[in-house]
Amino acid sequence: MVVDQDKLVYPTSLLDTDLYKFTMQQAVLQHFPGVEGTYKFTHRDKNVYFTRECFDHFKRSVALFSNVALTKDERAWLEQRCSYFTPQYLDYLEAYRFKPEQVHIDFVPVPEDVEKNARDDPTARGRLHIDAVGPWEETILWEVPLMACLSEIYFTTADTDWDYEGQAEAAYEKAVTLLKAGCVFSEFGTRRRRSFRTQRIVMDAILKAAKDHPGSGGVNGTSNMYYAKEFDVPPVGTIAHEWYMGVGAMRGYEHANAIALELWEKTYPNVLQIALTDTFSTEAFYKDFVANPHFAQKWTGLRQDSGDPYVFAPRAKEIYEQLGVDYKKKVIIFSDALNVEKALKLKKQCDELGFKCSFGIGTSLSNDFRKKSSGGKEKSKALNMVIKLSSVDGKPTVKISDEITKNTGDPDTVRLVKKVFQIPITDQDRTV
C-alpha cells in the first residue's frame, strides 16, 4: 500500500493480502460460483472512535482499489510458488478487479458530535458502518486490504501519537527469543498492521534474526503474499472461518464441519490440509472429526484460534488417540492473539506432550507500538476490528467461538446453531 500526499491509502498490488483469501476464493469459484456474499465490519472497542477526517480519507481511498491488478510477474510467481492454483483460477485472478461500488461506508457521529459532523468538521467522532455486497467469489477479497487500509488511515489521521523508533529492534528481539526457544513461527499481521511499512520492517527483522540464529526454531514464512514474494519466503495459510460459515449456511449446520472439509479436499486433495476447529466450537468440530476418521488420518493438523489455548493440545491428543492416529505426526498451529510469552508457554506444553506445533503471530508483531507522549511507557493500542462474512445466498452466517463472549452473526441464527450443537444458550444470547 502507498500513502499519497492527501493521506489516501490504497494497495499497489493484488498480492498485498493473505494467502487464505486466494485459496478460499478458488474453492468458492469451484463449489459456490455466483452466490451472493455479504461482509460486515465490526469495531469491538466501544471507547475508541473514528474521526470524520478518517472516514473521508478511507472512503476516497477505497475508490482507488479498482486500479489494482495482478501483473504478469506476479502471476508467474504464483505459478511457481503455489502449484495448487489452477491455470483457470489464475486466469480469473488476472482478470479480477475490485469493484468499489460493492463497498458501502457510512459515518455515524456520536450524539455530542452530530452538529460538528453536519458542518463537515474533520474532528467529529463516530463509528463506521462498512459492508461489501456482491458475488462471494468477488467480495471475498475485500476483507484483508480494507482492514489494513483503515488501520493505516486511522493511525495517520485520528491517532498520530506514535513513531517507528525501535520497531526493527523490538521485532528482532521477539524473533530471537522465539527462535532460541525452538519455536517455529510465521508472520500473520496483515489485517491489523499499523502500516504497510511496519510489516516490511517486521519481515526484515525476523528474517535477519533467523539468519543470525540458526537452530531448532525457524521462520516458516508470512501469510502476506506480497511480502512472501519480496522476501522470497513461503506464503503461509489454508482456511479461515468464513469457509465453514458459508458452508454451514448453504448446506446445513449439523455436519457443516465435515462437509466443509470434504469440499476443501475436492479443491485441494493433497495440500493445505490444516483444519480450523472453532467456527461452531471445537467440540462440535470433533463430533464430525471422530465420525469421519479419514480427516484425522489424512489432514496434517489443526489450528487453534479461540478459547483457552492450554486445553487445546491435551484435548487434541485425546481425540487422535481415540481414533488410533499417532498425534506425534500431526501439528497444531496456534494463531489466537499470540505474543512471545504465550507462544513460549504453549511450546513448552506441546514439547511435554510430544506434539509438533507452530505459531502464527499477527498484531503482536505488526502493531505493537508505544505512545510518543508517554515516553514509551504507555501502549498505543491497535484497532480491535474484524470484517466477517455475514450472509451467503441471502442466508445469515454465524461463528460460535470457543470464546463464549465472541459469537458473531444474526442472533436468531446463533441461538439456532447453538441448539444444533447442544451448546448452552447464555444470558447474552437471550438479550441480543
Side-chain angles (χ1 to χ4, degrees), residues 203-400:
M203 284 300 303
D204 186 67
I206 65 176
L207 292 173
K208 184 176 185 297
K211 183 178 179 181
D212 292 346
H213 297 273
S216 58
V219 177
N220 262 351
T222 174
S223 61
N224 184 284
M225 301 292 279
Y226 181 88
Y227 283 121
K229 182 176 184 295
E230 178 176 320
F231 287 95
D232 192 25
V233 297
V236 180
T238 49
I239 325 173
H241 296 106
E242 66 197 88
W243 176 250
Y244 299 84
M245 294 164 68
V247 170
M250 293 290 291
R251 300 290 180 87
Y253 288 100
E254 186 175 2
H255 297 294
N257 287 294
I259 296 169
L261 298 184
E262 288 169 359
L263 293 176
W264 192 258
E265 279 191 1
K266 290 179 179 179
T267 305
Y268 305 104
N270 297 301
V271 294
L272 304 177
Q273 293 183 349
I274 296 289
L276 182 57
T277 65
D278 67 325
T279 307
F280 310 114
S281 82
T282 293
E283 287 305 314
F285 173 87
Y286 282 146
K287 290 178 182 178
D288 274 349
F289 205 56
V290 169
N292 299 271
H294 157 83
F295 298 130
Q297 293 160 0
K298 184 179 180 184
W299 283 53
T300 308
L302 308 171
R303 179 156 74 94
Q304 188 274 340
D305 198 54
S306 67
D308 184 347
Y310 301 103
V311 305
F312 192 86
R315 180 64 174 138
K317 175 178 177 289
E318 290 177 359
I319 294 296
Y320 278 120
E321 288 181 333
Q322 179 181 337
L323 293 170
V325 174
D326 184 358
Y327 71 91
K328 293 182 180 181
K329 294 181 179 179
K330 302 299 179 178
V331 64
I332 294 175
I333 297 176
F334 294 94
S335 60
D336 179 29
L338 291 178
N339 55 30
V340 170
E341 180 183 8
K342 188 187 291 188
L344 294 182
K345 289 179 180 178
L346 290 167
K347 175 67 164 61
K348 182 176 183 294
Q349 182 194 51
C350 286
D351 285 349
E352 291 170 352
L353 290 170
F355 238 128
K356 292 186 290 185
C357 66
S358 67
F359 305 91
I361 303 178
T363 306
S364 176
L365 286 173
S366 69
N367 206 329
D368 187 10
F369 285 77
R370 300 285 166 174
K371 292 185 177 181
K372 284 174 59 179
S373 61
S374 72
K377 296 179 181 178
E378 187 178 348
K379 189 173 180 62
S380 173
K381 293 182 179 179
L383 291 174
N384 187 6
M385 59 179 177
V386 294
I387 293 178
K388 292 289 187 184
L389 183 69
S390 64
S391 70
V392 287
D393 196 30
K395 304 176 179 68
T397 61
V398 299
K399 176 174 176 284
I400 312 295

Side-chain angles (χ1 to χ4, degrees), residues 23-43:
T23 57
M24 290 189 296
Q25 185 182 46
Q26 181 170 245
V28 169
L29 280 164
Q30 179 177 349
H31 300 293
F32 303 105
V35 170
E36 183 177 272
T38 300
Y39 288 78
K40 289 190 180 296
F41 169 81
T42 300
H43 186 211

Side-chain angles (χ1 to χ4, degrees), residues 4-127:
D4 68 14
Q5 65 271 19
D6 295 322
K7 295 183 181 178
L8 302 185
V9 177
Y10 47 90
T12 56
S13 169
L14 193 64
L15 295 185
D16 187 15
T17 192
D18 289 334
L19 171 60
Y20 65 23
K21 300 307 297 190
F22 293 138
T23 57
M24 290 189 296
Q25 185 182 46
Q26 181 170 245
V28 169
L29 280 164
Q30 179 177 349
H31 300 293
F32 303 105
V35 170
E36 183 177 272
T38 300
Y39 288 78
K40 289 190 180 296
F41 169 81
T42 300
H43 186 211
R44 291 168 172 162
D45 195 332
K46 305 303 181 185
N47 299 314
V48 174
Y49 299 101
F50 299 95
T51 61
R52 179 61 190 253
E53 180 187 18
C54 179
F55 161 73
D56 288 338
H57 283 80
F58 181 56
K59 195 165 186 177
R60 290 166 60 202
S61 294
V62 170
L64 299 173
F65 275 49
S66 59
N67 297 325
V68 181
L70 190 74
T71 67
K72 297 292 184 182
D73 177 62
E74 290 170 340
R75 175 174 176 147
W77 179 80
L78 287 171
E79 289 173 338
Q80 186 266 325
R81 271 289 190 178
C82 307
S83 59
Y84 40 80
F85 289 143
T86 67
Q88 293 78 15
Y89 171 64
L90 292 178
D91 287 345
Y92 174 87
L93 200 60
E94 201 168 1
Y96 180 90
R97 298 293 184 275
F98 284 107
K99 298 175 180 176
E101 63 271 18
Q102 293 175 338
V103 180
H104 311 101
I105 310 166
D106 294 312
F107 181 75
V108 182
V110 296
E112 55 267 37
D113 282 3
V114 168
E115 290 186 6
K116 289 175 69 175
N117 182 63
R119 299 194 304 269
D120 292 332
D121 186 327
T123 66
R125 298 164 302 140
R127 295 202 159 272

